[in-house]
Amino acid sequence: MRWRGDSIPELERPRGGAQKGNVTVPQTSPAPGWRATVVTLFPELFPGPLAASLAGDALKRGLWSLDTVALRDFGIGRHRQVDDTPAGGGAGMVLRADVVAAALDAARATAAEAPAIYLSPRGEPLTQALVRDFAATPGLILLAGRFEGLDQRVVEARALREVSIGDYVLSGGELAAMVLIDAVVRLLPGVVGKAASLAEESFEAGLLEYPHYTRPRDWEGRAVPEVLLSGDHKRIAEWRRAAAERLTRERRPDLWARQKKGAAGASRRSWAAEPPRQQRPWWHTDFRPACRTGD
Ligand code: 9D3
């Protein structure tokens, strides 16, 4: 199933060129847009909230596209079974490697260049840095997990990158896939207006945002801070900076510690003195034994 915007006349122009008056202006980015291909047992959940607001508008404008691959279509037997009991015993069910691999391979057929991500509670934590990396790809294949998990062999055989959206338990990977897509789409060129994206870029990374106010000037006995009405842009910037720092210190000591460290020695730090980094980060743990066990 594929979701895209209804065709918009302005977008129906010759490939690689935009009409401006009678002149065809060469386009620097005739790219077909970022593509999300979601492999899921619940394709009916999509596009869901991604059809609304910023991401929805961008979808209609063809800046990105969404495909789903129904895992059930690749299930086995009359019941289209996709899961089975865990080897070694235990509670719950596990998604079968053969079924999931067939679905991923079908997704791969229409999204050849897209890295494959498995949304899983034990994955690498999703961060804005990772979201930025994902926005720089032509698109992603996103496998939404269900049940207790997925046969480990397909994670290895299809080189799935496991990603978690945080330390809490969801009932499946679909909402996590939507969170990831939403975060990526707002970084795609043309989705967020230039003013908003410049403001975001210039705002000191690693600080929480300062508090916002609007009209009315007095509300339920609470006034908008006087400095914000002063018209003194320098004082306003200083007030916002101080407020952002205080919020970060109070609510996110983890961010605050990193912020201070970065300011103190980001450029002076001697990398040469540090021990060599691990070859692979911890989330790339390989569960295969080093030698064959005779199976
Ligand atoms: C009892 C062990 N559970 C792991 C914490 C099993 C389990 C619970 C819930 C396995 C999968 C799930 C479903 N969660 C996801 O698919 C998921 C998820 C999440 O639960 N939290 C944060 N990020 C993600 S990404 C996918």
Side-chain angles (χ1 to χ4, degrees), residues 206-208 248 252-260:
L207 282 184
L208 299 183
T248 309
R252 293 292 303 275
D254 58 325
L255 287 184
W256 183 243
R258 263 201 286 162
Q259 175 83 4
K260 280 190 303 186

Side-chain angles (χ1 to χ4, degrees), residues 119-121 145-149 163-173 176:
L119 284 313
S120 141
R146 281 275 157 176
F147 313 118
E148 289 311 295
V163 173
S164 161
I165 62 160
D167 293 339
Y168 37 80
V169 182
L170 303 173
S171 15

Side-chain angles (χ1 to χ4, degrees), residues 16-260:
Q19 287 292 339
K20 197 175 186 188
N22 279 328
V23 189
T24 298
V25 180
Q27 290 283 85
T28 38
S29 54
W34 193 83
R35 169 186 281 192
T37 307
V38 184
V39 177
T40 170
L41 270 175
F42 300 98
E44 67 275 15
L45 294 178
F46 292 85
L50 298 171
S53 191
L54 194 76
D57 291 342
L59 186 62
K60 287 181 223 150
R61 289 159 58 206
L63 298 178
W64 68 289
S65 64
L66 176 65
D67 289 298
T68 55
V69 171
L71 198 50
R72 188 65 64 189
D73 292 349
F74 299 85
I76 289 169
R78 194 161 59 85
H79 298 292
R80 307 226 157 209
Q81 196 177 331
V82 299
D83 58 338
D84 216 324
T85 52
M93 300 291 270
V94 175
L95 286 168
R96 288 176 59 119
D98 50 357
V99 171
V100 170
L104 286 171
D105 294 347
R108 172 75 56 219
T110 55
E113 307 286 280
I117 306 296
Y118 168 39
L119 284 313
S120 141
R122 53 164 223 214
E124 162 187 1
L126 184 65
T127 59
Q128 191 64 17
L130 198 51
V131 169
R132 253 182 260 118
D133 290 347
F134 290 156
T137 69
L140 294 175
I141 294 169
L142 297 162
L143 171 63
R146 281 275 157 176
F147 313 118
E148 289 311 295
L150 168 62
D151 189 307
Q152 184 62 27
R153 292 170 296 179
V154 75
V155 176
E156 293 161 13
R158 295 297 180 270
L160 302 182
R161 186 167 183 180
E162 290 187 74
V163 173
S164 161
I165 62 160
D167 293 339
Y168 37 80
V169 182
L170 303 173
S171 15
E174 286 78 9
L175 287 169
M178 289 179 194
V179 165
L180 188 157
I181 291 168
D182 184 82
V184 167
V185 164
R186 50 187 303 293
L187 295 186
L188 299 176
V191 173
V192 173
K194 202 164 219 157
S197 74
L198 281 178
E200 192 158 314
E201 253 171 53
S202 76
F203 193 74
E204 266 61 39
L207 282 184
L208 299 183
E209 211 170 352
Y210 54 78
H212 302 287
Y213 299 86
T214 185
R215 282 184 280 268
R217 187 181 167 141
D218 291 293
W219 175 75
E220 293 194 351
R222 294 161 194 271
V224 170
E226 183 278 328
V227 57
L228 300 181
L229 309 170
S230 68
D232 183 339
H233 298 299
K234 184 156 174 277
R235 270 185 71 217
I236 291 170
E238 284 164 359
W239 183 89
R240 286 178 168 167
R241 174 85 201 188
E245 288 186 354
R246 182 184 150 192
L247 274 175
T248 309
R249 209 178 332 110
E250 287 176 357
R251 296 185 181 176
R252 293 292 303 275
D254 58 325
L255 287 184
W256 183 243
R258 263 201 286 162
Q259 175 83 4
K260 280 190 303 186

